[in-house]
Amino acid sequence: MQQDPDVIARTAEELVGDLNPQQGEAVQYQGPALLIGAGAGSGKTRVLTRRIAWILSQFGAWPSQILAITFTNKAAAEMRERLATLIGPVAQRMWVSTFHSACVRILRRDGQSIGLKSGFSIYDSADSERLIKIIATEFNLDVKRYTPRSILGKISDLKNNLTGWQEYLAVHAPDFTPGQRGYQFGHAGDLEAIHAVLYAEYEHRLGLANAVDFDDLIGRTVELLRKDPQVADYYHHRFRYILVDEYQDTNHAQYVLVRELAGVDARESADATPGGNGRFAGKTGPAWITVVGDSDQSIYAFRGADIRNIQDFEQDFPNAKTIMLEQNYRSTQTILDAANAVITNNEGRKPKKLWTAMGKGEPIVGYAADNAQQEAVWVAGEIARLHAEEGIAYSDMAIMYRANAQSRSLEEALINGGEPYQLVGGTKFYERREVKDALAYLQALVNPDDDVNLRRILNVPKRGLGDRAEAILLAYAREHGASFFYALMHVDEIQDMPTRTANQLRAFRDLMASLSQFTRAHDAKPSEVVAEVLDKSGLRADLEKSVDPQDASRLENLSQLQSTAAEFEQKTPDATLAGFLETTALVADSDQLPDEGEDSGKVTLMTLHTAKGLEYPVVFLTGMEQGTFPHSRAMEDISELSEERRLAYVGITRAKRRLYVTRAAVRSQWGQASDMMPSQFLDEIPDELIDWKRREAGVERMRGAWGRDEFDDDFGGWDDDFSSGATFGGSGSSYGSSYGSSYGSGSRYGSSYGSGSSSYGSGSRYGGSSRSGSGSYGGSSYGSGSNGRSYGSGSGSRSYGSSGSRYGSGSGSSYGSGRLGSGSSYGGTRGGKVTTRRVAPKSGGSSAQPVSSLDKDNQLNIADFSIGDKVTHDKFGLGTVVDLQDKGRNSVITVDFGSAGTKRLMLRVAPIEKL
DNA sequence: GTACAGCATGGGACT
DNA sequence: CATGCTGTAC
């Protein structure tokens, strides 16, 4: 047998000897289609890598015949690494990538046949929005009424379902031709016609600009495979084994892509090979497909993921086999019990029985804070305690939340506690203004057709070229049916231009021409091109001469961009500028996490979405409130609420040994404080699993007391709670002052750190600057961390001492006298007779109404409705009732809103009105 | 053409 | 609360 010399041969025993029976079966299975139902923590990555090794060593496949798709680049890198230890260096050459990267690779190679030129641009959603806005403005659409965002959302939906613009246009606006000028919409408000026209025109412009958006990467690859039999044939023969991870999060387009790549619908039929020793298994006919997923962890429906892909797998792929992995190797029984109890509340799911051999473990710890700041301080204090008293490494702890905006107060508390942390996500490095500007230059140089990017930089940095100049160039380009770049290069031929404008335009043309030349000469050295662009464009000089402290950090980001380019060209053998730009377009938040095994020495903060696929010994789930989590916009719709619940399931199952759930009674969002009810997911966790350190916030006890006229009754600790709550806004306490000083420094503080992918390591820098030094830390201690590097010293050695004194030492600190101090005051559960459910807002009081709660009630009664009734909904408009489910308080009403779709709404909270 | 103030508006998770 | 847009003064 000819076998790749780089492949380390592995015996069957080595590959499956240490697996459980189901895992072993999944690794060895021979057949065209395999679904591995992998519950959380059931060792799916292990099974996937072993299976690949099995296919190579036992089926005798070549590494080049395997395509492994993961969800993020980070997951791909990790899988590749694990493969390398299993089968050797050949893993570096295998196709292990995300859907998007794989598609880019295919389109770069073969995209010509569907009209893509090499060097095509990949638009991120901001670019796409810009383009939509340009188009909408040209059509005189009211951008307020038809937001680019919503239009783009519709286009994205259509693309995810592989509905082409031709098809959509033919139905909704057949009289429009893309590229046509001055089109008038029939009657205003015909949403579908507007969508159809904008979709068509948007695609037209993308084509002219030689650009694709995120969704196109998938959709156009499908198009390519369908339109070009030669290309399809090439990939059918090339990939004999396709493995897809996180299959529950694939959308329809991705599903079709897998089918097309595998050639499932191609005519060629398979030889009946299975059996024997497996040699030649899967070598003819459609490629063999292995998908791995867990429908309970489907959390991307909002992005078009279709849970039916995994549910219908057995019908979709003939002779499909399903293997369930149900033994969990990650978490304690307590944690699994909680997760199971929560997810059981979702309707229409297949029951699953995850189990573990690990034993009960510690109870889940619960804490109800008065407000978000106090919640954060408590979490930070608990982390410090775990670190000091139990020797748990910071890097073994993670704090998770529903939305990025919640990271603020948590960061604040960690900084004050001197605890090292890294924040994942938020505004991405490559989305920052100055970085996007620099990238726009590079993109325009690589792809001269890219009007969107060229127009972006026409007047960046300011060079006196405004709307007028842009319009003049645009007119010339139109007239000649050419690109903006072409017009710029021919600026000398344009008549009747103000001298000043002409001079500026010529200067800009010379700049771009010379940069273009430089780019061609140094294409293999992206870092040099970046340096040249930053230098000659004036981007760097412009920031250097600025006195705005924000610009210092911008400058640093630009130099970071240059380093990233240098790094890229070092680790990429055949580096090109286009290749570099690709990597910047496709990075994910999770890609910046440190590699497995690499101890960052820092607590990790991230959203629940980002946390998918990760695990930590200690996990804090924060913001467990109605309206925060589940998110307010998801609460009224049953399917969205189910997705939130799956997200809760994902969050809970990230924890290996200890889980904390915390909430705040008051949370300020958009500058408005609101009373928050406990999350319904907390109520779904059996009470005996949770050890509440504080079950009810002080303010809630007060509210409850007033409401019941029991003001003076015995609520042990009421006084403490009240005073600590009251001190927050005040000035006296140590907490109040340190918080006030750094937070209060306002814009500088917020701007330098609210953004993004940063990691704050050095305790000393922060510790020292908390009061007087706020001016000095605008940008200097901030690092982008986009490539997983960590900045700052990160030792955190002194941090505990300081946090200890801040929280622990009683005097002066009205805060934490006892509660947050040392473990001694922790023990007893307080206010045990109080349940979360009972906390009801006092009606008619002066305090703010709860934005959302279990008790919210719009007084609608299921009995008043019958099928066929007309209703109006605040968001979806007019609809017809098509189904009713009487479940008492939780009654559900199903309404057909026409073009807005059919929705299942929880009657009690739905903003509807009966007509 | 630019700079800045004042106002309106959005507001979620991510490739 | 942050950002983006509009209007005004330079």
Side-chain angles (χ1 to χ4, degrees):
Chain A
M1 171 202 66
Q2 350 118 290
Q3 182 63 277
D4 195 309
D6 282 356
V7 179
I8 297 171
R10 290 286 179 187
T11 66
E13 172 58 26
E14 282 179 297
L15 292 177
V16 296
D18 55 345
L19 301 180
N20 72 35
Q22 292 76 31
Q23 292 177 327
E25 190 189 359
V27 167
Q28 301 170 62
Y29 178 75
Q30 287 184 34
L34 170 65
L35 163 63
I36 303 173
S42 60
K44 65 168 186 174
T45 311
R46 197 170 201 216
V47 168
L48 217 40
T49 49
R50 296 294 181 92
R51 179 161 172 80
I52 291 172
W54 185 270
I55 289 169
L56 292 173
S57 61
Q58 305 298 312
F59 294 175
W62 287 81
S64 60
Q65 292 176 323
I66 292 177
L67 171 64
I69 304 279
T70 60
F71 204 66
T72 62
N73 293 306
K74 156 104 171 127
E78 212 167 289
M79 177 172 294
R80 184 173 282 140
E81 206 168 298
R82 285 168 80 158
L83 275 172
T85 58
L86 206 54
I87 59 168
V90 70
Q92 301 307 325
R93 302 204 312 266
M94 290 176 52
W95 278 53
V96 183
S97 67
T98 62
F99 270 109
H100 295 270
S101 318
C103 287
V104 169
R105 217 163 148 180
I106 292 171
L107 290 174
R108 288 268 184 247
R109 185 181 179 279
D110 297 305
Q112 314 78 264
S113 71
I114 51 164
L116 280 177
K117 290 183 263 176
S118 75
F120 61 79
S121 303
I122 301 168
Y123 282 3
D124 66 15
S125 27
D127 297 326
S128 298
E129 240 173 74
R130 236 176 99 82
L131 181 53
I132 287 285
K133 203 169 179 183
I134 289 172
I135 296 170
T137 313
E138 284 177 23
F139 280 98
N140 288 320
L141 278 176
D142 180 1
V143 189
K144 294 266 159 63
R145 206 162 128 75
Y146 309 99
T147 62
R149 209 170 215 280
S150 69
I151 293 167
L152 210 49
K154 179 65 188 176
I155 292 175
S156 180
D157 284 348
L158 292 168
K159 286 185 176 182
N160 286 335
N161 286 306
L162 295 177
T163 306
W165 62 266
Q166 301 90 334
E167 193 182 326
Y168 202 65
L169 192 63
V171 175
H172 297 291
D175 56 333
F176 175 74
T177 319
Q180 177 185 336
R181 315 267 310 143
Y183 179 82
Q184 291 294 321
F185 288 102
H187 35 278
D190 187 347
L191 208 56
E192 272 138 355
I194 289 172
H195 285 148
V197 168
L198 263 79
Y199 182 17
E201 183 65 18
Y202 172 70
E203 287 304 290
H204 177 65
R205 298 290 182 93
L206 281 179
L208 290 178
N210 191 27
V212 295
D213 65 17
F214 277 138
D215 300 317
D216 279 342
L217 288 174
I218 314 294
R220 303 222 61 194
T221 306
V222 170
E223 181 191 339
L224 171 66
L225 292 168
R226 283 179 168 173
K227 279 191 182 157
D228 190 328
Q230 278 188 336
V231 171
D233 211 46
Y234 170 82
Y235 287 106
H236 292 166
H237 285 97
R238 158 134 203 178
F239 296 129
R240 304 309 310 150
Y241 307 90
I242 297 177
L243 302 97
V244 184
D245 195 9
E246 307 284 8
Y247 190 68
Q248 76 281 353
D249 287 323
T250 53
N251 61 35
H252 179 71
Q254 289 166 328
Y255 159 79
V256 172
L257 175 67
V258 170
R259 278 185 92 90
E260 293 289 342
L261 275 176
V264 173
D265 306 298
R267 256 178 236 125
E268 191 184 346
S269 68
D271 292 349
T273 38
N277 64 1
R279 296 273 160 214
F280 310 113
K283 298 283 171 57
T284 59
W288 283 12
I289 293 172
T290 303
V291 303
V292 187
D294 176 1
S295 41
D296 288 334
Q297 292 186 61
S298 164
I299 54 173
Y300 283 103
F302 73 90
R303 206 172 74 190
D306 191 344
I307 202 163
R308 283 175 309 183
N309 286 347
I310 194 163
Q311 284 168 348
D312 297 348
F313 184 81
E314 296 190 34
Q315 289 94 278
D316 287 342
F317 294 89
N319 301 318
K321 164 88 174 172
T322 300
I323 296 174
M324 301 297 287
L325 306 181
E326 289 178 320
Q327 181 174 1
N328 173 295
Y329 294 92
R330 180 188 291 155
S331 310
T332 65
Q333 191 63 51
T334 299
I335 290 165
L336 285 189
D337 285 348
N340 284 331
V342 169
I343 199 68
T344 309
N345 291 286
N346 271 1
E347 291 174 15
R349 61 181 277 278
K350 269 189 232 156
K352 198 167 30 189
K353 35 184 195 304
L354 268 189
W355 61 280
T356 179
M358 237 184 281
K360 245 178 105 187
E362 314 258 343
I364 294 166
V365 176
Y367 185 82
D370 288 336
N371 56 43
Q373 284 71 34
Q374 197 215 332
E375 177 192 38
V377 169
W378 188 82
V379 168
E382 187 64 9
I383 285 173
R385 191 187 69 78
L386 290 170
H387 183 69
E389 289 179 17
E390 308 194 21
I392 298 176
Y394 286 126
S395 54
D396 281 342
M397 300 188 261
I399 309 175
M400 300 174 190
Y401 36 82
R402 174 63 236 263
N404 279 308
Q406 289 166 249
S407 70
R408 284 287 172 90
S409 48
L410 292 161
E411 288 182 84
E412 185 68 39
L414 289 164
I415 289 169
N416 282 333
E419 295 158 71
Y421 72 92
Q422 64 175 161
L423 187 134
V424 184
T427 313
K428 290 191 207 101
F429 178 70
Y430 293 114
E431 288 173 4
R432 319 199 79 212
R433 201 191 67 206
E434 65 279 9
V435 177
K436 278 232 79 173
D437 287 340
L439 290 174
Y441 270 93
L442 298 170
Q443 197 72 74
L445 292 167
V446 168
N447 176 16
D449 292 329
D450 190 339
D451 286 7
V452 174
N453 275 314
L454 188 58
R455 283 166 74 173
R456 177 191 178 103
I457 55 171
L458 180 65
N459 198 28
V460 177
K462 299 247 181 290
R463 50 170 75 87
L465 293 173
D467 294 345
R468 281 279 303 166
E470 188 176 343
I472 290 170
L473 280 184
L474 206 53
Y476 184 87
R478 283 259 160 71
E479 198 182 313
H480 291 75
S483 66
F484 204 73
F485 192 87
Y486 176 92
L488 177 64
M489 290 301 137
H490 293 77
V491 67
D492 287 335
E493 292 161 26
I494 303 176
Q495 309 298 316
D496 303 328
M497 213 179 352
T499 332
R500 211 183 133 71
T501 308
N503 287 338
Q504 297 292 348
L505 274 177
R506 279 191 212 104
F508 184 57
R509 176 201 56 194
D510 294 342
L511 168 70
M512 291 309 286
S514 89
L515 284 176
S516 178
Q517 206 176 355
F518 187 92
T519 303
R520 261 171 278 136
H522 301 79
D523 190 48
K525 296 270 181 212
S527 71
E528 289 178 19
V529 182
V530 173
E532 182 77 2
V533 163
L534 295 182
D535 194 31
K536 297 277 156 59
S537 69
L539 279 177
R540 182 187 274 140
D542 197 50
L543 289 173
E544 269 166 357
K545 68 168 192 245
S546 160
V547 289
D548 185 342
Q550 273 193 39
D551 288 335
S553 78
R554 298 213 167 104
L555 209 47
E556 210 164 293
N557 287 326
L558 290 182
S559 98
Q560 173 60 28
L561 180 68
Q562 202 179 321
S563 321
T564 309
E567 211 170 287
F568 169 80
E569 96 197 19
Q570 245 159 43
K571 67 173 192 230
T572 316
D574 49 349
T576 61
L577 181 56
F580 173 61
L581 290 173
E582 234 159 63
T583 66
T584 68
L586 298 175
V587 285
D589 280 345
S590 59
D591 295 341
Q592 24 156 327
L593 284 159
D595 290 341
E596 202 182 356
E598 182 181 307
D599 188 350
S600 64
K602 293 169 193 157
V603 179
T604 305
L605 272 71
M606 66 193 143
T607 65
L608 288 156
H609 282 88
T610 306
K612 193 179 70 160
L614 305 176
E615 57 177 34
Y616 292 87
V618 180
V619 168
F620 290 83
L621 295 184
T622 64
M624 299 295 291
E625 305 121 28
Q626 290 294 97
T628 306
F629 184 35
H631 192 272
S632 54
R633 291 172 70 158
M635 286 198 311
E636 63 179 50
D637 186 297
I638 300 284
S639 71
E640 280 197 66
L641 184 61
S642 302
E643 178 146 315
E644 296 286 302
R645 193 175 279 112
R646 290 193 293 271
L647 194 55
Y649 179 79
V650 166
I652 293 169
T653 54
R654 294 313 92 197
K656 293 164 91 162
R657 313 215 53 87
R658 293 205 197 187
L659 177 66
Y660 287 82
V661 288
T662 65
R663 67 180 180 90
V666 174
R667 187 175 295 275
S668 306
Q669 272 172 358
W670 325 306
Q672 275 258 315
S674 314
D675 293 345
M676 307 302 287
M677 298 294 298
S679 168
Q680 64 191 93
F681 302 143
L682 285 178
D683 291 318
E684 291 170 8
I685 299 174
D687 205 46
E688 63 272 18
L689 298 181
I690 306 183
D691 172 14
W692 285 100
K693 297 301 182 192
R694 192 178 188 229
R695 183 181 282 272
E696 194 176 35
V699 283
E700 289 168 339
R701 251 165 275 175
M702 283 161 44
R703 286 203 290 265
W706 282 327
R708 290 190 311 277
D709 266 328
E710 290 172 8
F711 196 87
D712 289 317
D713 267 5
D714 172 28
F715 278 89
W718 181 87
D719 293 293
D720 294 352
D721 286 328
F722 183 43
S723 62
S724 76
T727 319
F728 260 93
S731 54
S733 75
S734 72
Y735 177 76
S737 61
S738 65
Y739 175 69
S741 67
S742 49
Y743 203 83
S745 66
S747 62
R748 171 172 303 144
Y749 181 78
S751 61
S752 71
Y753 107 96
S755 50
S757 44
S758 54
S759 77
Y760 290 83
S762 122
S764 57
R765 183 169 281 160
Y766 276 98
S769 65
S770 70
R771 209 177 228 303
S772 56
S774 65
S776 69
Y777 82 94
S780 57
S781 56
Y782 169 86
S784 81
S786 63
N787 48 14
R789 270 201 269 161
S790 57
Y791 296 78
S793 69
S795 73
S797 55
R798 70 174 283 289
S799 57
Y800 188 61
S802 76
S803 71
S805 64
R806 184 161 281 126
Y807 299 131
S809 72
S811 78
S813 149
S814 66
Y815 199 67
S817 54
R819 178 158 301 117
L820 289 173
S822 61
S824 61
S825 60
Y826 262 65
T829 306
R830 321 179 52 135
K833 62 175 175 167
V834 188
T835 68
T836 57
R837 175 77 72 185
R838 207 206 73 255
V839 182
K842 182 168 70 91
S843 61
S846 55
S847 64
Q849 282 295 100
V851 282
S852 54
S853 80
L854 279 181
D855 299 288
K856 178 172 166 181
D857 207 319
N858 52 19
Q859 309 291 348
L860 292 175
N861 194 331
I862 189 86
D864 299 334
F865 287 86
S866 51
I867 291 173
D869 284 353
K870 299 279 184 210
V871 298
T872 60
H873 185 282
D874 285 357
K875 192 164 78 185
F876 304 126
L878 183 72
T880 312
V881 178
V882 294
D883 190 35
L884 298 161
Q885 278 171 280
D886 188 350
K887 295 193 221 165
R889 255 180 78 68
N890 294 321
S891 291
V892 172
I893 182 170
T894 308
V895 183
D896 184 348
F897 290 104
S899 62
T902 302
K903 303 278 174 188
R904 298 188 66 214
L905 307 169
M906 197 175 284
L907 185 63
R908 169 161 52 87
V909 291
I912 58 176
E913 222 178 295
K914 192 178 171 199
L915 296 183

